[in-house]
Amino acid sequence: MKRVNLLAGGPVDQWASELATITTVPGQWITADRGTLRLLQQGVTPTIAVGDFDSITPAEKEQVLAAVSDIRSVQAEKDETDTQLALSIAFEELQADRVVVYGATGGRIDHFLANLFMAVEERFRTVLNRIEMRDRQNTIQFYAPGTYELTKEADKKYLAFIPLVPTTDLNLVDEKYPLTHFDTKVPISWASNEFIGEKAHFNFKTGIVAVIQSKD
Amino acid sequence: MKRVNLLAGGPVDQWASELATITTVPGQWITADRGTLRLLQQGVTPTIAVGDFDSITPAEKEQVLAAVSDIRSVQAEKDETDTQLALSIAFEELQADRVVVYGATGGRIDHFLANLFMAVEERFRTVLNRIEMRDRQNTIQFYAPGTYELTKEADKKYLAFIPLVPTTDLNLVDEKYPLTHFDTKVPISWASNEFIGEKAHFNFKTGIVAVIQSKD
């Protein structure tokens, strides 16, 4: 299974704990925006960097250009963010089976929501369940209609189910707070649920559901 | 115009800068969850506190019970968060013309999304444009279909338009990156737009749009 890590430009103080020893994180890296400089500063060189690096200093830009052999820019006429392009490249060119996205949360909420809502874009529909976003307190995964088994992360206490688009017949089978045949036309965050054991099961008929494991 | 402030339980390090001198913030306060203890610690007593205070120490709970004369709990059978109930009370009982929500962002993403998606609930539809969420880097406002003029906040650089539900005919008239007759069936964050002058105009026909002013 080929894992690719994507580092976006969100604040470092929200990074998932495993980035403290980033060189031990398995898989190659692709970076977007400020993620490129930050990864280089950690001693890791991305396979591909996306961005025009206009918001960093000329010296920093030199450093990026010298270190990274494959740099891509979003075409100005395309309504696409660097992170969206990086995610596309991770699946299409790097042939990722799984992309773990870091630096996608915290700080500017318009950025975070742009990252979160990548999951509802048509082009990512077939790879939805292979995208994972991780930060200091949260792991976010995405699901297309179907029946699923979740495994509890040891350091997380809470479990949330978040229909991002109109969703039908959501069933939380064996969670602390069950839900049966739930339909919604608007997005909703069923927060603060919990695993009873090590596994939890859910299913739904139409829509897209984000699942978040989190801790305080 | 009656302003009510709502303090939810999000992390203090994400608080909007005006909470550094919280006693000068105009309007009465209603609190939810951990917001109650935090407000008391700042020397301000809320008019109403919502929560069962099970996650704080017995000594802290004593402090809350001694200080706050009006304490409410969400009924266990209602699928409602403390913050949702507090927002309802602010409009219905405290007769707020405007509710400024603090502590609604940062930390656990399931909590943040529950707060954000309050805006799409049917019960808040008529008061949508009177809700504002503020943190260290972001101000979020909500709009029902119509034509609007926005005023730039002096300390913010970026402007984002975020249809939260299926939305039609969104027009960004005089922003740095205009948009015409945009329809979407899924949520999307048009991030990193900017004001050209001090005012910006937009309109849309159906849906709900969040507008975020932010800074890095």
Side-chain angles (χ1 to χ4, degrees), chain A residues 2-145:
Chain A
K2 187 174 181 186
R3 168 175 172 162
V4 171
N5 305 292
L6 193 168
L7 185 61
V12 174
D13 62 7
Q14 297 302 310
W15 277 7
S17 59
E18 63 261 33
L19 298 201
T21 52
I22 201 165
T23 52
T24 67
V25 173
Q28 62 190 145
W29 287 83
I30 183 167
T31 50
D33 299 300
R34 286 155 217 237
T36 302
L37 196 66
R38 288 178 185 153
L39 191 71
L40 291 172
Q41 286 164 345
Q42 300 292 316
V44 178
T45 303
T47 306
I48 300 173
V50 178
D52 54 17
F53 308 107
D54 281 349
S55 64
I56 61 180
T57 68
E60 289 170 337
K61 190 165 175 173
E62 274 309 305
Q63 190 192 339
V64 169
L65 297 177
V68 185
S69 57
D70 190 344
I71 294 178
R72 313 285 179 88
S73 277
V74 169
Q75 292 162 278
E77 72 271 21
K78 283 191 77 173
D79 289 319
E80 183 178 49
T81 67
D82 291 344
T83 307
Q84 286 167 315
L85 178 56
L87 189 62
S88 287
I89 292 171
F91 284 113
E92 290 167 17
E93 294 188 40
L94 300 181
Q95 305 280 317
D97 295 308
R98 175 169 169 241
V99 179
V100 183
V101 183
Y102 297 99
T105 65
R108 277 178 48 196
I109 291 172
D110 60 337
H111 277 171
F112 164 63
L113 292 175
N115 294 334
L116 181 74
F117 294 149
M118 288 193 302
V120 304
E121 290 179 42
E122 192 56 43
R123 61 172 156 171
F124 297 123
R125 197 62 51 96
T126 58
V127 293
L128 200 58
N129 65 343
R130 298 196 264 142
I131 303 168
E132 181 173 316
M133 297 185 182
R134 297 177 61 81
D135 73 13
R136 206 163 58 87
Q137 292 178 251
N138 307 277
T139 301
I140 312 177
Q141 292 177 304
F142 302 95
Y143 295 88

Side-chain angles (χ1 to χ4, degrees), chain B residues 86 97 103 137 145 156 167 180:
Chain B
D97 295 308
Q137 292 178 251
K156 303 292 196 305
T167 292
T180 47

Side-chain angles (χ1 to χ4, degrees), chain B residues 57-72:
Chain B
T57 69
E60 288 169 337
K61 190 165 175 174
E62 273 310 305
Q63 190 190 341
V64 168
L65 297 177
V68 186
S69 57
D70 191 345
I71 295 178
R72 313 286 180 88

